Amino acid sequence: ELQLLESGGGLVQPGGSLRLSCAASGFIFSSCAMSWVRQSPGKGLQWVSSISGSGANRWYADSVKGRFTISRDNSKHTLYLQMNFLRTEDTAIYFCAKMSALNGAFESWGQGTMVTVSS
Amino acid sequence: DIQMTQSPPSLSASVGDRVTITCQASQDISTYLNWYQQKPGKVPKLLIYDASNLETGVPSRFSGSGSGTDFTFTISSLQPEDFATYYCQQYGSLWSFGQGTKVEIK
């Protein structure tokens, strides 16, 4: 059974850093592009970043470019999001998502990890 | 960046009603458009991919159409379990979501 389990969320002050992890199982991790999508409390979905299966290609939303870094360790079946220079507007649930191999859909989602940026 | 304009932001409907949601892209995205359902406290679920293709296991009362910049999502006969928020999402250039449409009980 496919599983995506995020961890690493918490409370951090503005300007601080946090690293999220997403442990994947139940599929061939290295073959799949992966993404981070976030949802601020009571708000809509916002794509954050994506990475190809090999890790060679990475994409970022303008709102996080230069502050967040997506990476993966295929030997550990784990996806990461390093978040630096955090802002209050980064407060959200961060979901890890497996991308469809056939189209640009987020076909499977983890339960998410909450990140709160506040002083 | 491609902006997705979804409407209406919310709607009230009764069981059995036909419900239609629209999504407009700021530039041509061909049929690179997906639709999701999200219930409170749950993760999003993919319903429709590539504008009009039903994801496996999704009831046939859900459908999608459109290409280019204008897309439509329809529930032919609303069921109690369909009350949720629906999002469109494009992948014509990077990825982005519409603002969502909350379908509430009338």
Side-chain angles (χ1 to χ4, degrees):
Chain A
E1 180 190 1
L2 188 153
Q3 283 195 330
L4 299 168
L5 185 61
E6 302 93 336
S7 61
L11 175 63
V12 61
Q13 291 188 335
S17 298
L18 214 53
R19 188 176 86 153
L20 305 183
S21 300
C22 172
S25 61
F27 64 101
I28 303 173
F29 183 70
S30 59
S31 296
C32 298
M34 299 293 294
S35 295
W36 290 98
V37 176
R38 68 185 181 185
Q39 187 167 35
S40 299
K43 302 296 184 182
L45 300 168
Q46 182 185 23
W47 169 71
V48 173
S49 182
S50 297
I51 187 169
S52 61
S54 67
N57 297 296
R58 310 178 193 203
W59 302 269
Y60 298 94
D62 286 345
S63 58
V64 307
K65 199 175 297 181
R67 299 189 299 124
F68 290 11
T69 301
I70 192 171
S71 63
R72 64 192 297 160
D73 185 334
N74 286 342
S75 68
K76 295 182 178 179
H77 299 94
T78 303
L79 174 73
Y80 302 101
L81 185 68
Q82 177 66 45
M83 304 186 295
N84 298 329
F85 306 108
L86 282 161
R87 306 167 179 167
T88 55
E89 56 264 35
D90 295 319
T91 294
I93 299 172
Y94 284 73
F95 297 102
C96 160
K98 173 183 176 292
M99 306 298 296
S100 167
L102 300 177
N103 55 60
F106 305 97
E107 66 177 11
S108 299
W109 299 65
Q111 290 303 307
T113 186
M114 184 69 203
V115 172
T116 303
V117 184
S118 174
S119 54
Chain B
D1 291 7
I2 296 179
Q3 309 302 317
M4 304 302 293
T5 303
Q6 194 175 331
S7 62
S10 65
L11 64 90
S12 296
S14 301
V15 172
D17 284 354
R18 182 181 183 88
V19 168
T20 299
I21 298 168
T22 64
C23 188
Q24 185 171 60
S26 59
Q27 62 189 74
D28 190 334
I29 57 169
S30 183
T31 57
Y32 300 145
L33 190 285
N34 305 314
W35 290 95
Y36 299 82
Q37 175 193 67
Q38 187 180 29
K39 297 181 180 180
K42 302 295 186 181
V43 302
K45 175 186 175 182
L46 177 66
L47 299 180
I48 303 277
Y49 64 92
D50 291 347
S52 61
N53 296 287
L54 206 62
E55 179 73 344
T56 302
V58 173
S60 59
R61 63 180 179 274
F62 295 100
S63 65
S65 65
S67 66
T69 60
D70 295 302
F71 301 87
T72 300
F73 172 81
T74 300
I75 308 173
S76 60
S77 177
L78 196 65
Q79 297 302 300
E81 61 268 30
D82 300 338
F83 291 96
T85 300
Y86 294 86
Y87 294 92
C88 61
Q89 171 251 316
Q90 68 82 22
Y91 65 102
S93 175
L94 297 181
W95 298 263
S96 57
F97 290 90
Q99 304 95 318
T101 296
K102 186 173 184 180
V103 176
E104 299 175 301
I105 301 173
K106 185 181 249 182

